Amino acid sequence: MTSSGVNFATMDRFVGYHMKRAVNVVQADLDRTLKQFDLRLLTHSALVLIADNPGLRQTQLAAAMSLGRSNVVVIVDALEARHMVVRRPVPSDRRAYALTATMEGQRVCKLAVAAVQAHEARLFAGLDMRKRDVLVKSLSSLHISKEI
Amino acid sequence: MTSSGVNFATMDRFVGYHMKRAVNVVQADLDRTLKQFDLRLLTHSALVLIADNPGLRQTQLAAAMSLGRSNVVVIVDALEARHMVVRRPVPSDRRAYALTATMEGQRVCKLAVAAVQAHEARLFAGLDMRKRDVLVKSLSSLHISKEI
DNA sequence: TATTGTTATACTCTATAACTATA
DNA sequence: TATAGTTATAGAGTATAACAATA
């Protein structure tokens, strides 16, 4: 039972549902945080990864974000349209593009990262560092399960 | 750095992104698990909550699932079309419906819950009970943050 | 043959506004 | 006026198949 009077006996046993609901909460707050930069969750992740990895290829980005290549195209399109990212031809492989963040992209990225850090500090204030560490490590161990 | 060679230095600091990627992994596996019952994540959650709370109203269900009322309508429609759930009029309030699981709904629910338990046991095998407890409690503390 | 990026498409999930019938 | 349920709609995110150019 909870304060709402609804019996969660069965649902409470399922970790996955807790995870999903928590992500909804976090993402709603994150969307508000990123709105001022006109970024969304995925465009922000992509921008950060490109800024941290100059020359990254789209297939690598897709793998890093656990997305399909086709979905990454749209994300990079959006960042390129706003002159935050450029696709450069790769001489050694003319099928591929090397992604790099422009000066503008780096500038927005830095501001957005600071805002997201503040958002996370606020949202996870109730968790001490040790619990936060267990949380992150537990979540990361699941990623690995998928990649195997 | 990771085995992929991609630098996650900035991204790794963000708990929210770990959560989102983990949910993707879990949900992909959960979808496969529920497919045999022709259920999806949301229809399964709703079915379980209705089965555990006979007479539940749609607004309560929406709150319990952290969804809008309008989205719950579609979910209940789907369950009703498959004769797993019925909407009964509430004499004391003719605006509302009391949701109850049919025998068929209870049967499928029981099978699906067992399947999801197996899916979770497999997916979270790497986490001992104490870590799993920290994980769930940490995630739950975020739900509360939203409801305040 | 296999891979990179691309297009097109479809489906799930989430959010909002506006409506109706009741309260 | 407020609430329960509804309809319609829009947008984000995810997944798949098929294609052209290149390896």
Side-chain angles (χ1 to χ4, degrees):
Chain A
M1 288 287 189
T2 68
S3 56
S4 64
V6 177
N7 176 8
F8 281 95
T10 306
M11 293 305 293
D12 268 349
R13 289 204 297 270
F14 296 137
V15 181
Y17 294 100
H18 286 281
M19 287 175 53
K20 179 151 184 59
R21 288 189 63 197
V23 164
N24 286 354
V25 174
V26 172
Q27 186 157 343
D29 194 88
L30 183 58
D31 283 344
R32 282 189 292 274
T33 299
L34 290 176
K35 195 160 197 168
Q36 57 186 310
F37 307 106
D38 199 15
L39 290 171
R40 300 185 310 262
L41 180 84
L42 290 180
T43 47
H44 178 244
S45 313
L47 179 58
V48 169
L49 285 167
I50 294 167
D52 277 355
N53 296 274
L56 194 68
R57 306 210 189 161
Q58 290 187 197
T59 297
Q60 291 178 296
L61 181 57
M65 295 178 69
S66 300
L67 289 179
R69 291 194 309 279
S70 64
N71 298 317
V72 165
V73 173
V74 187
I75 294 167
V76 174
D77 282 349
L79 290 171
E80 199 178 36
R82 297 177 52 204
H83 307 103
M84 293 183 174
V85 158
V86 287
R87 286 172 163 109
R88 270 197 242 286
V90 177
S92 60
D93 185 345
R94 281 160 50 202
R95 294 171 304 180
Y97 287 117
L99 302 172
T100 53
T102 62
M103 295 299 281
E104 169 66 3
Q106 291 176 40
R107 186 186 68 80
V108 174
C109 184
K110 199 173 288 185
L111 293 173
V113 163
V116 172
Q117 279 173 335
H119 137 88
E120 292 230 336
R122 182 167 20 94
L123 215 58
F124 298 105
L127 298 180
D128 61 43
M129 274 307 160
R130 210 188 50 72
K131 282 188 179 165
R132 214 178 293 192
D133 194 56
V134 171
L135 176 61
V136 169
K137 285 208 169 60
S138 299
L139 296 170
S140 301
S141 72
L142 298 177
H143 301 167
I144 293 165
S145 314
K146 188 190 187 183
E147 287 157 15
I148 283 175
Chain B
M1 287 288 189
T2 68
S3 56
S4 64
V6 176
N7 176 6
F8 281 95
T10 306
M11 291 306 292
D12 268 349
R13 288 205 297 269
F14 297 137
V15 181
Y17 294 102
H18 286 282
M19 287 175 54
K20 178 148 184 59
R21 288 189 64 197
V23 165
N24 286 354
V25 174
V26 172
Q27 186 157 343
D29 193 88
L30 183 57
D31 283 344
R32 282 190 291 275
T33 300
L34 290 175
K35 196 159 197 169
Q36 58 186 308
F37 307 106
D38 199 17
L39 290 171
R40 298 185 311 261
L41 179 82
L42 289 180
T43 46
H44 178 244
S45 311
L47 179 58
V48 169
L49 285 167
I50 294 167
D52 277 355
N53 295 275
L56 193 69
R57 305 206 189 167
Q58 290 187 195
T59 298
Q60 292 179 295
L61 181 58
M65 295 177 70
S66 300
L67 288 179
R69 292 194 308 279
S70 63
N71 298 317
V72 165
V73 173
V74 187
I75 294 168
V76 174
D77 282 349
L79 290 171
E80 199 178 36
R82 297 178 51 205
H83 307 103
M84 292 182 174
V85 157
V86 288
R87 286 171 163 109
R88 270 197 243 285
V90 177
S92 60
D93 185 345
R94 281 160 48 203
R95 295 171 304 182
Y97 289 118
L99 302 172
T100 53
T102 62
M103 295 299 280
E104 169 66 4
Q106 291 176 42
R107 187 186 68 80
V108 174
C109 183
K110 198 174 286 187
L111 293 173
V113 163
V116 172
Q117 279 173 335
H119 137 88
E120 291 231 335
R122 183 166 18 93
L123 216 57
F124 298 106
L127 298 180
D128 61 42
M129 274 308 159
R130 211 189 50 73
K131 283 189 180 167
R132 213 178 294 192
D133 194 55
V134 172
L135 176 62
V136 169
K137 285 209 169 62
S138 300
L139 296 170
S140 301
S141 72
L142 297 177
H143 300 166
I144 293 165
S145 314
K146 188 190 187 182
E147 288 158 14
I148 284 177

